[in-house]
Amino acid sequence: MTTDERTGLRKFLDRLTATDSELDARELQRESAECGAVPAGECHRGQVVSVSGRLRTVAYTPRTNLPTLEADLYDGSDVVTLVFLGRRSIAGIEPGRQLTARGRIAIRDDRKVIYNPYYELEAPR
Protein backbone atom coordinates (compact mmCIF):
# COMPACT_ATOMS: atom_id res chain seq x y z
CA MET A 1 0.00 0.00 0.00
CA THR A 2 1.44 3.38 -1.00
CA THR A 3 1.54 6.47 1.19
CA ASP A 4 -1.18 8.15 -0.90
CA GLU A 5 -3.48 5.15 -0.49
CA ARG A 6 -2.94 5.13 3.29
CA THR A 7 -3.62 8.86 3.47
CA GLY A 8 -6.81 8.44 1.41
CA LEU A 9 -7.97 5.56 3.60
CA ARG A 10 -7.23 7.57 6.75
CA LYS A 11 -9.27 10.54 5.45
CA PHE A 12 -12.14 8.21 4.52
CA LEU A 13 -12.16 6.64 8.01
CA ASP A 14 -11.97 10.08 9.63
CA ARG A 15 -15.05 11.20 7.68
CA LEU A 16 -16.94 8.07 8.77
CA THR A 17 -16.19 8.58 12.46
CA ALA A 18 -16.50 12.38 12.62
CA THR A 19 -19.55 14.07 14.10
CA ASP A 20 -21.72 16.43 12.04
CA SER A 21 -20.26 19.44 13.86
CA GLU A 22 -16.69 18.29 13.13
CA LEU A 23 -17.51 17.82 9.45
CA ASP A 24 -19.18 21.25 9.35
CA ALA A 25 -16.12 22.84 11.02
CA ARG A 26 -13.79 21.23 8.47
CA GLU A 27 -15.96 22.47 5.59
CA LEU A 28 -16.01 26.01 7.00
CA GLN A 29 -12.21 25.94 7.43
CA ARG A 30 -11.78 24.74 3.85
CA GLU A 31 -14.09 27.46 2.47
CA SER A 32 -12.35 30.11 4.58
CA ALA A 33 -8.93 29.06 3.28
CA GLU A 34 -10.18 29.09 -0.32
CA CYS A 35 -11.18 32.75 -0.09
CA GLY A 36 -7.83 33.71 1.46
CA ALA A 37 -9.15 34.53 4.92
CA VAL A 38 -7.09 34.20 8.09
CA PRO A 39 -8.34 31.40 10.39
CA ALA A 40 -10.02 32.98 13.41
CA GLY A 41 -7.99 30.71 15.69
CA GLU A 42 -4.80 32.36 14.41
CA CYS A 43 -5.94 35.99 14.77
CA HIS A 44 -4.18 38.15 17.34
CA ARG A 45 -5.00 41.46 19.02
CA GLY A 46 -4.19 44.48 16.85
CA GLN A 47 -3.92 42.46 13.65
CA VAL A 48 -5.89 43.64 10.59
CA VAL A 49 -7.53 40.52 9.17
CA SER A 50 -10.07 39.17 6.76
CA VAL A 51 -12.15 36.37 8.31
CA SER A 52 -14.80 34.32 6.58
CA GLY A 53 -17.43 32.01 8.01
CA ARG A 54 -21.03 31.56 9.08
CA LEU A 55 -22.95 33.75 11.52
CA ARG A 56 -23.99 31.68 14.53
CA THR A 57 -25.86 34.28 16.54
CA VAL A 58 -27.00 37.85 15.99
CA ALA A 59 -28.18 39.93 18.94
CA TYR A 60 -29.24 43.51 19.47
CA THR A 61 -27.79 44.73 22.76
CA PRO A 62 -29.27 48.02 23.90
CA ARG A 63 -26.73 50.09 25.78
CA THR A 64 -27.35 53.30 27.68
CA ASN A 65 -25.54 55.55 25.21
CA LEU A 66 -25.10 53.49 22.05
CA PRO A 67 -27.12 50.55 20.72
CA THR A 68 -25.06 47.74 19.21
CA LEU A 69 -25.68 44.76 16.97
CA GLU A 70 -23.40 41.82 17.76
CA ALA A 71 -22.90 38.80 15.52
CA ASP A 72 -20.75 35.73 16.22
CA LEU A 73 -18.85 34.63 13.10
CA TYR A 74 -17.63 31.01 13.20
CA ASP A 75 -15.09 29.77 10.68
CA GLY A 76 -14.54 26.25 12.00
CA SER A 77 -11.52 27.16 14.11
CA ASP A 78 -12.81 29.88 16.45
CA VAL A 79 -15.39 32.64 16.83
CA VAL A 80 -14.93 36.35 16.11
CA THR A 81 -17.64 38.68 17.36
CA LEU A 82 -18.58 41.42 14.90
CA VAL A 83 -19.83 44.53 16.70
CA PHE A 84 -21.77 47.14 14.72
CA LEU A 85 -21.94 50.26 16.89
CA GLY A 86 -25.08 52.40 16.65
CA ARG A 87 -27.06 49.78 14.74
CA ARG A 88 -30.22 47.96 15.78
CA SER A 89 -30.34 45.75 12.68
CA ILE A 90 -28.65 45.33 9.31
CA ALA A 91 -30.37 43.72 6.33
CA GLY A 92 -28.79 40.33 5.62
CA ILE A 93 -27.00 40.04 8.97
CA GLU A 94 -28.84 37.02 10.34
CA PRO A 95 -27.91 33.61 11.79
CA GLY A 96 -26.80 31.09 9.18
CA ARG A 97 -25.54 33.65 6.63
CA GLN A 98 -22.05 33.26 5.20
CA LEU A 99 -19.91 36.39 5.08
CA THR A 100 -16.39 37.75 4.95
CA ALA A 101 -15.47 40.51 7.39
CA ARG A 102 -12.39 42.74 7.47
CA GLY A 103 -11.08 44.80 10.33
CA ARG A 104 -8.73 45.05 13.29
CA ILE A 105 -8.95 42.38 15.98
CA ALA A 106 -9.58 43.61 19.51
CA ILE A 107 -10.00 41.56 22.68
CA ARG A 108 -13.06 42.12 24.88
CA ASP A 109 -13.81 39.81 27.81
CA ASP A 110 -11.28 37.28 26.42
CA ARG A 111 -13.17 37.17 23.09
CA LYS A 112 -11.94 38.25 19.67
CA VAL A 113 -13.92 41.23 18.40
CA ILE A 114 -13.96 43.39 15.27
CA TYR A 115 -15.72 46.74 15.69
CA ASN A 116 -17.64 48.12 12.69
CA PRO A 117 -16.11 45.67 10.20
CA TYR A 118 -16.24 45.96 6.45
CA TYR A 119 -18.24 42.95 5.32
CA GLU A 120 -19.41 41.14 2.21
CA LEU A 121 -22.42 38.85 2.37
CA GLU A 122 -22.30 35.66 0.33
CA ALA A 123 -25.35 34.50 -1.61
CA PRO A 124 -27.73 32.38 0.51
CA ARG A 125 -27.39 28.63 -0.03
Side-chain angles (χ1 to χ4, degrees), residues 60-80:
Y60 166 65
T61 54
R63 306 241 187 243
T64 54
N65 298 338
L66 185 67
T68 61
L69 184 67
E70 296 187 9
D72 287 339
L73 181 72
Y74 179 64
D75 75 345
S77 67
D78 201 358
V79 173
V80 173

Side-chain angles (χ1 to χ4, degrees), residues 27 31 54 97-98 122-125:
E27 179 68 15
E31 290 172 357
R54 184 180 305 129
R97 283 299 295 266
Q98 296 277 132
E122 294 181 20
R125 296 178 184 186

